[in-house]
Amino acid sequence: MESNILNSLGIDPGIIVIAMMGIMIFVLLYMVRVSMKMTRFLKRYRIFMRGKDAVSLEKAFAQRFQEVDKLSELTKINTDEIRRIKEIQGRTANKIGIVKYDAFPDVGGRLSFALAMLDENNSGFVLNAIHGREGCYTYIKEIVKGESYIVLGQEEKEALRQAVNYFSDMG
């Protein structure tokens, strides 16, 4: 094998062939090493993906992601429902005050009462039931922001005070 170019450079073509064979052997050994690493990796991957009770982890992950999506949706629904419930609760009578008393000295048993029912803005009503020998009479007075436009009796004022302070008296 004669080459004018290689001869002019002073390089023997046999040396080039031997060098190329050395490089090829090095590349072949490197490929074997990479192939062995890949085989070990695939073996670990298969063991990992096999999962528990012959259920693949891939399916388990997919199932968990679906559950997370459902939980996110349910959380949003629950948050909206809680917001609606709080709005409704703000408009309902959730503060109560009651005072039982004897309206007349000749009628005992504390059958008369004043009942105050207020919402979170301290608006609502005071119901006064007066029990006497002739019968029972009920009166209702509107309360707006903790105040009445009609004069309240002593028992009604106490029931209103209890209702306004309902949550602070509980704690």
Side-chain angles (χ1 to χ4, degrees):
M1 197 163 135
E2 287 287 320
S3 171
N4 290 335
I5 297 173
L6 292 176
N7 284 337
S8 66
L9 291 174
I11 300 174
D12 185 16
I15 294 175
I16 292 179
V17 170
I18 293 172
M20 290 298 282
M21 286 177 70
I23 291 172
M24 291 295 285
I25 290 172
F26 173 76
V27 169
L28 180 66
L29 291 174
Y30 183 73
M31 290 294 290
V32 168
R33 180 174 173 241
V34 168
S35 176
M36 288 173 63
K37 281 187 172 184
M38 186 66 166
T39 303
R40 278 187 261 142
F41 171 75
L42 286 174
K43 184 178 176 182
R44 288 182 189 155
Y45 177 76
R46 285 189 195 105
I47 291 170
F48 179 74
M49 293 309 283
R50 188 174 332 132
K52 186 164 113 176
D53 299 339
V55 177
S56 79
L57 285 179
E58 187 175 358
K59 290 179 185 175
F61 284 144
Q63 183 181 5
R64 292 294 185 243
F65 286 138
Q66 287 176 351
E67 289 174 5
V68 167
D69 290 343
K70 286 179 185 177
L71 287 174
S72 294
E73 186 178 325
L74 286 174
T75 300
K76 183 180 179 222
I77 291 169
N78 288 341
T79 302
D80 291 343
E81 287 179 0
I82 289 170
R83 182 187 46 76
R84 279 191 16 245
I85 289 170
K86 283 184 175 181
E87 288 174 4
I88 292 168
Q89 183 187 18
R91 295 187 308 259
T92 59
N94 54 16
K95 296 179 179 180
I96 328 168
I98 188 163
V99 175
K100 293 179 72 174
Y101 63 98
D102 289 326
F104 304 105
D106 62 334
V107 177
R110 295 172 37 126
L111 298 175
S112 299
F113 64 90
L115 171 68
M117 297 183 76
L118 306 175
D119 64 10
E120 69 179 13
N121 297 318
N122 293 327
S123 296
F125 61 87
V126 173
L127 177 70
N128 194 352
I130 301 174
H131 182 77
R133 290 201 184 273
E134 298 84 35
C136 183
Y137 302 95
T138 56
Y139 304 94
I140 191 165
K141 298 177 183 176
E142 183 180 15
I143 305 297
V144 178
K145 295 185 181 175
E147 298 290 328
S148 172
Y149 298 111
I150 301 171
V151 178
L152 298 176
Q154 181 180 351
E155 294 83 5
E156 294 169 324
K157 286 180 185 177
E158 176 59 21
L160 178 59
R161 186 200 63 76
Q162 287 177 12
V164 167
N165 298 322
Y166 185 73
F167 291 113
S168 61
D169 289 347
M170 290 179 72

